[in-house]
Amino acid sequence: MGGKMFKKFRIVTSLSLLLLLCSITTSGFGQTGIQYLGPIIDMHLHAYTNEDFIGPAPNPTTGEMSVDNATEHRRQTVEVLKNNNIVLSMVDGESPEAVDAWEEILGDGVIRGLRFENPEEDLDLNLFTEWVEEGKIEVFGEVGATYAGFSSADSVLDPFLQISEEFNIAVGIHTGGSYPGIHRVNPDFRLRYGDPFLVEDILVTHPNLRVYLMHSGSHFYERTAMLMVQYPNLYSDIAILNWYTNAEVFLIQFLKLAKQYNVLDRVMFGTDQMIWPEAIEMAIAKVQSLDFLTLEEKAGIFYMNAARFLNLSDETIAEHHEQE
Ligand SMILES: [Zn+2]
């Protein structure tokens, strides 16, 4: 009995020690988890023009109403990026013009993406080639073909992937689902086209293409982890999973599996803020709160893994760490 009591006392003592340590490392929002304080790369942000802005609409997690135009959306998002030491962001637009305004403010802090849904209606091969040659596109994505009823493996995408491979343009492909009820707005959307296994043929046909699976497959996270084991050059981002209502279950299970499978060093931070800039801080806080990740693993997710995927030079990496 006495031994048991003593044991209990020891547990209580180490618990309070642990709590003390946690209080040193919490950010003040009642989270546990070691806080990573270095620079951040966001691999998944969206830009709009006032013409293609999709709001106003309430934040699906907080219910708070968004702004109603692209100019204010950009101003607020840039402020959040600066306040959170986000030194580099993949920002996509439906046209290069949408990204120009961001690059004017953030300069080298922007990686230019091209977002589309319907490859037959939204893309033109000649124009695409021209944009690539002019440096107006650095990431081909978000490839949102599933929203228009196309598989990522559809041959209509092949010439674009061919050019991306030739010009060393990275490709970001939407994988997984969308919000419940999406079919009422996008009747061609199919969950099955978000299956990461559909990307496998692309990886084989274009062995030098740098590909990342956006949202890490969400509903199909197990398949994402399997593919990452099988294809050592495949990366993923955790956008949406880290802030959207009810998506946390995918985030936690995917990251734990990625850790078990030893592929966590290819998982990158991303937000997918859409029209809600506040989602960026929600996403950062969520990752910071995950107590099964070590500080080194968080540093990988927030910065190093993307730095490797993007082939950043040692000089750029050093500069990013000086900006703190
Ligand atoms: Zn997406």
Side-chain angles (χ1 to χ4, degrees):
M1 282 294 262
K4 238 181 186 174
M5 275 296 285
F6 179 63
K7 228 177 174 178
K8 205 172 174 188
F9 173 73
R10 272 215 336 231
I11 291 167
V12 171
T13 315
S14 46
L15 247 178
S16 25
L17 188 67
L18 194 72
L19 283 172
L20 187 73
L21 285 172
C22 282
S23 68
I24 292 166
T25 54
T26 49
S27 68
F29 294 102
Q31 303 154 357
T32 54
I34 302 164
Q35 303 291 294
Y36 165 76
L37 299 173
I40 294 175
I41 299 175
D42 193 322
M43 289 300 290
H44 198 137
L45 290 177
H46 296 306
Y48 306 91
T49 59
N50 282 326
E51 288 68 43
D52 65 29
F53 192 73
I54 53 174
N59 181 314
T61 304
T62 66
E64 229 171 278
M65 191 53 80
S66 75
V67 296
D68 64 1
N69 66 84
T71 312
E72 180 58 12
H73 167 262
R74 182 170 56 246
R75 194 194 64 75
Q76 288 188 9
T77 309
V78 166
E79 197 177 299
V80 175
L81 296 178
K82 288 183 173 163
N83 289 343
N84 289 277
N85 202 16
I86 298 176
V87 293
L88 191 57
S89 310
M90 196 295 283
V91 180
D92 72 17
E94 287 182 3
S95 64
E97 289 73 47
V99 184
D100 286 345
W102 290 64
E103 203 177 28
E104 272 169 36
I105 306 169
L106 294 167
D108 288 347
V110 169
I111 303 165
R112 307 178 57 104
L114 181 74
R115 166 179 91 240
F116 72 92
E117 291 182 355
N118 189 322
E120 281 173 349
E121 289 171 12
D122 306 343
L123 292 178
D124 176 279
L125 190 61
N126 290 330
L127 201 55
F128 177 76
T129 311
E130 203 180 297
W131 286 341
V132 166
E133 284 171 346
E134 288 169 355
K136 287 183 177 171
I137 299 172
E138 295 165 300
V139 167
F140 181 44
E142 179 170 5
V143 174
T146 177
Y147 284 95
F150 290 83
S151 150
S152 341
D154 197 295
S155 60
V156 69
L157 286 172
D158 210 59
F160 298 92
L161 297 173
Q162 193 73 46
I163 288 170
S164 300
E165 189 178 25
E166 236 169 78
F167 285 83
N168 196 19
I169 302 290
V171 179
I173 301 174
H174 174 100
T175 53
S178 186
Y179 64 86
I182 176 86
H183 61 287
R184 296 197 183 96
V185 183
N186 285 40
D188 294 325
F189 173 90
R190 293 293 181 276
L191 178 59
R192 63 177 178 270
Y193 290 147
D195 185 343
F197 275 9
L198 292 171
V199 178
E200 186 173 19
D201 287 344
I202 296 175
L203 303 176
V204 175
T205 324
H206 303 280
N208 298 319
L209 195 60
R210 288 181 295 129
V211 179
Y212 68 114
L213 302 182
M214 291 174 146
H215 317 294
S216 297
S218 67
H219 305 50
F220 303 105
Y221 68 88
E222 283 174 295
R223 291 189 165 206
T224 300
M226 287 179 212
L227 273 183
M228 289 172 79
V229 171
Q230 192 65 51
Y231 297 89
N233 56 343
L234 181 63
Y235 281 67
S236 78
D237 83 32
I238 51 171
I240 283 290
L241 310 186
N242 45 23
W243 70 273
Y244 207 87
T245 182
N246 295 330
E248 187 184 4
V249 61
F250 300 133
L251 176 74
I252 291 174
Q253 300 199 53
F254 172 68
L255 290 177
K256 285 187 172 173
L257 194 59
K259 194 168 163 158
Q260 282 170 356
Y261 283 3
N262 209 18
V263 298
L264 194 60
D265 63 351
R266 280 180 272 135
V267 176
M268 308 184 285
F269 179 77
T271 302
D272 196 352
Q273 97 288 25
M274 292 180 272
I275 55 172
W276 303 285
E278 70 276 13
I280 297 168
E281 285 186 350
M282 292 164 70
I284 293 172
K286 179 63 73 184
V287 177
Q288 297 279 29
S289 76
L290 299 174
D291 52 15
F292 60 88
L293 296 176
T294 65
L295 182 59
E296 199 187 344
E297 287 163 347
K298 284 181 184 173
I301 291 169
F302 277 122
Y303 184 89
M304 272 320 294
N305 303 343
R308 200 180 321 107
F309 179 72
L310 297 166
N311 293 319
L312 297 188
S313 67
D314 291 345
E315 199 186 348
T316 303
I317 293 172
E319 267 170 33
H320 285 163
H321 284 81
E322 277 163 20
Q323 282 173 26
E324 276 169 53

